[in-house]
Amino acid sequence: MTSIEHRSSDEDREVSHEKDSFQHLEGIHGGNTHKAAERGHAATDQYGNPIVHFDKAAEARLRLKIDLYIVPTVSLLYLFCFIDRANIGNAKLAGFETDLKLKGYDYNKVLSIFYISYIIFEIPSNMACKWIGPGYFIPAISLMFGICSVCTAFVHNIHQASAVRFLLGIFEAGMMPGIAYYLSRWYRRSELAFRLSLYIVMAPLAGAFGGLLASGILKLDHFGSLHKWRMIFAIEGIITIGISLIAFLTLTDRPATAKWLTQEEKDLAIARVKSERVGATEVLDRFDRAKTFRGIFSPVTLATAFIFLLNNVTVQGLAFFAPTIVKTIYPKNSVVSQQLHTVPPYIVGAFFTVLFPFLSWRFDRRNIFFIISAPLTMIGYIMFLASTQPMVRYGATFIIASGAYSFGALCNAQVSANVVSDTARSAAIGTNVMMGNIGGLISTWSFLPFDAPNYHIGNGLNLGTSSTIFLLSIILLFWMKMNNKAREKRNVDSELSGLNQKEVQDLDWRHPGFRWKP
């Protein structure tokens, strides 16, 4: 396999833009910025230090504008992505298992089939997102998984349900990593975690809103010819389809094509992202095997992705089994009441999902918040294992949600911050989310029927995963600091001597001037 020598139309347009559009920068931010922003010129020195400095007020205005135009659209899309995935938990309470005659582990099998396709298509989907352009790719896959949700309303046996869930996994595979990669085109390293949290917070909000929406839908007598749980899939799928069609018109692919930015703002948006990429002479690079492997096999990518795998055992387990857990706590309540009891823990989880990444933005640190978050999850599962009192166990779900949900933003921001090129970033984020979804697959077998109602196996497993996250996060932080000290002793000039521009860029995180960003 060799580096692909032709470009996508997305990259061709970016090449043209970078060659022609920086004439405005010299008058606004100085000649050095103009030179650094041009294609073919690096925006850092060989030690990774930026060679230009930007007007902080201009950056703040640009950042707010991007926040308002980009984040709401992707957040809404991800909200219904997660609802379309997790509403099967609400449907279970409303008779999904009974009507489809599912027995024993059949429900777990239906959940698992989703993750098989979800995992397989994770990295290919993110490569396709880069190739096609996220402004087109993300609405397209959203449209398709909305259609899959509608189709679920018409299944009548385990085989049909499994087939639709497999297709759902294919189309949802590119959503979380695709949006993370998309936002990395717009934001600096320190800014990214908080912006990721603004869409990833839709996961716990989907748990809350999904419970409210499901309970509201179940109050309807029928929706066309559909009744009970079938209405949940149909109505929520139709909403997803509508939002996706609107997103085709509103989602801007990248700064260069943003009609809502002035030319000066477009130039600043591109130049400031480029200024953090040591040795990079372009923002959107060619697909390259070396850079792809650098993204996948970065030590920080692999370690963080394994942490995300362990965390997802908890996050996805909550999504699928929170209604079931609540049912064991409040067995005499009505189905609607049980649905509503799943809402408050997600609201609390959503708060911490945004809080920790916000602090990450302010301190430009990510790994330390892994270390802070993990003990919260550990405490919650200790409470589950130590008590059978309904209020204690219900309280534990609040603490677990507080610790678990922030990892989605923090892990994706961490792997993004610790590679250089656009290609490596796409591959690293895809790898992180792929590994995370292996954890999701494990979660589908963590709460088994014979273990009800106290679920000692599932709760014990999650205590083990959160404890391992805590230890691994500490080890990773110390390793990054030690390796950075070792890099300080390397002779950058001699190591880069004799290398051409492509060879220097292909080094990515192996570049001697690169430093890990914990």
Side-chain angles (χ1 to χ4, degrees), residues 279-452:
T281 59
E282 54 195 0
V283 175
L284 292 185
D285 57 349
R286 300 181 181 187
F287 275 108
D288 184 280
R289 181 178 66 176
K291 292 175 186 173
T292 299
F293 286 169
R294 290 282 187 264
I296 295 172
F297 294 108
S298 159
V300 173
T301 297
L302 294 176
T304 304
F306 186 62
I307 288 171
F308 195 42
L309 181 157
L310 296 172
N311 173 253
N312 257 24
V313 175
T314 294
V315 170
Q316 303 296 343
L318 278 178
F320 290 127
F321 294 101
T324 302
I325 293 169
V326 168
K327 184 178 180 179
T328 66
I329 299 173
Y330 299 104
K332 296 181 181 179
N333 288 30
S334 68
V335 171
V336 171
S337 174
Q338 291 169 354
Q339 301 278 13
L340 292 176
H341 271 90
T342 67
V343 174
Y346 285 118
I347 299 295
V348 173
F351 172 76
F352 282 92
T353 299
V354 175
L355 175 64
F356 287 146
F358 175 79
L359 296 174
S360 167
W361 172 26
R362 291 309 184 190
F363 293 103
D364 193 13
R365 292 292 183 271
R366 289 146 294 276
N367 207 98
I368 188 65
F369 293 101
F370 296 175
I371 298 170
I372 294 171
S373 299
L376 294 173
T377 309
M378 293 164 61
I379 291 169
Y381 282 108
I382 289 172
M383 291 170 65
F384 259 120
L385 289 167
S387 176
T388 57
Q389 293 298 315
M391 293 310 297
V392 173
R393 306 191 87 194
Y394 188 52
T397 62
F398 287 81
I399 299 174
I400 293 165
S402 300
Y405 277 100
S406 62
F407 279 86
L410 293 170
C411 288
N412 279 311
Q414 169 121 312
V415 299
S416 177
N418 285 286
V419 292
V420 178
S421 68
D422 191 69
T423 296
R425 183 167 287 102
S426 177
I429 293 171
T431 301
N432 181 62
V433 179
M434 180 194 74
M435 291 288 286
N437 288 315
I438 293 174
L441 177 60
I442 294 171
S443 76
T444 64
W445 293 92
S446 59
F447 293 92
L448 300 171
F450 73 85
D451 201 28

Side-chain angles (χ1 to χ4, degrees), residues 461-480:
L461 172 65
N462 282 282
L463 175 60
T465 57
S466 55
S467 301
T468 306
I469 288 172
F470 182 62
L471 295 174
L472 285 179
S473 299
I474 294 172
I475 293 170
L476 178 59
L477 178 61
F478 277 102
W479 179 86
M480 294 171 80

Side-chain angles (χ1 to χ4, degrees), residues 156-294:
H156 293 281
N157 55 56
I158 186 175
H159 306 295
Q160 294 173 355
S162 297
V164 173
R165 294 289 293 185
F166 185 85
L167 291 173
L168 185 71
I170 293 175
F171 297 120
E172 288 204 1
M175 201 63 182
M176 185 181 191
I179 296 176
Y181 162 67
Y182 175 51
L183 294 182
S184 74
R185 290 184 169 191
W186 297 84
Y187 292 104
R188 284 182 178 273
R189 178 188 69 240
S190 61
E191 302 162 354
L192 186 59
F194 178 59
R195 273 70 193 184
L196 294 181
S197 77
L198 295 178
Y199 87 87
I200 291 175
V201 71
M202 294 301 160
L205 288 181
F209 181 64
L212 290 172
L213 187 57
S215 62
I217 291 171
L218 290 173
K219 290 181 180 179
L220 298 175
D221 290 330
H222 62 90
F223 180 69
S225 62
L226 303 175
H227 300 271
K228 297 191 299 184
W229 60 268
R230 297 184 186 276
M231 297 189 297
I232 297 176
F233 289 112
I235 293 173
E236 292 176 356
I238 289 171
I239 295 172
T240 303
I241 291 170
I243 296 171
S244 302
L245 294 174
I246 295 171
F248 274 111
L249 303 175
T250 61
L251 202 62
T252 304
D253 192 62
R254 62 198 184 284
T257 61
K259 294 180 180 179
W260 42 271
L261 292 178
T262 66
Q263 190 61 57
E264 289 83 0
E265 288 170 333
K266 292 178 183 180
D267 298 340
L268 175 59
I270 295 170
R272 73 192 200 103
V273 171
K274 187 179 179 184
S275 69
E276 292 189 323
R277 302 183 181 184
V278 59
T281 59
E282 54 195 0
V283 175
L284 292 185
D285 57 349
R286 300 181 181 187
F287 275 108
D288 184 280
R289 181 178 66 176
K291 292 175 186 173
T292 299
F293 286 169
R294 290 282 187 264

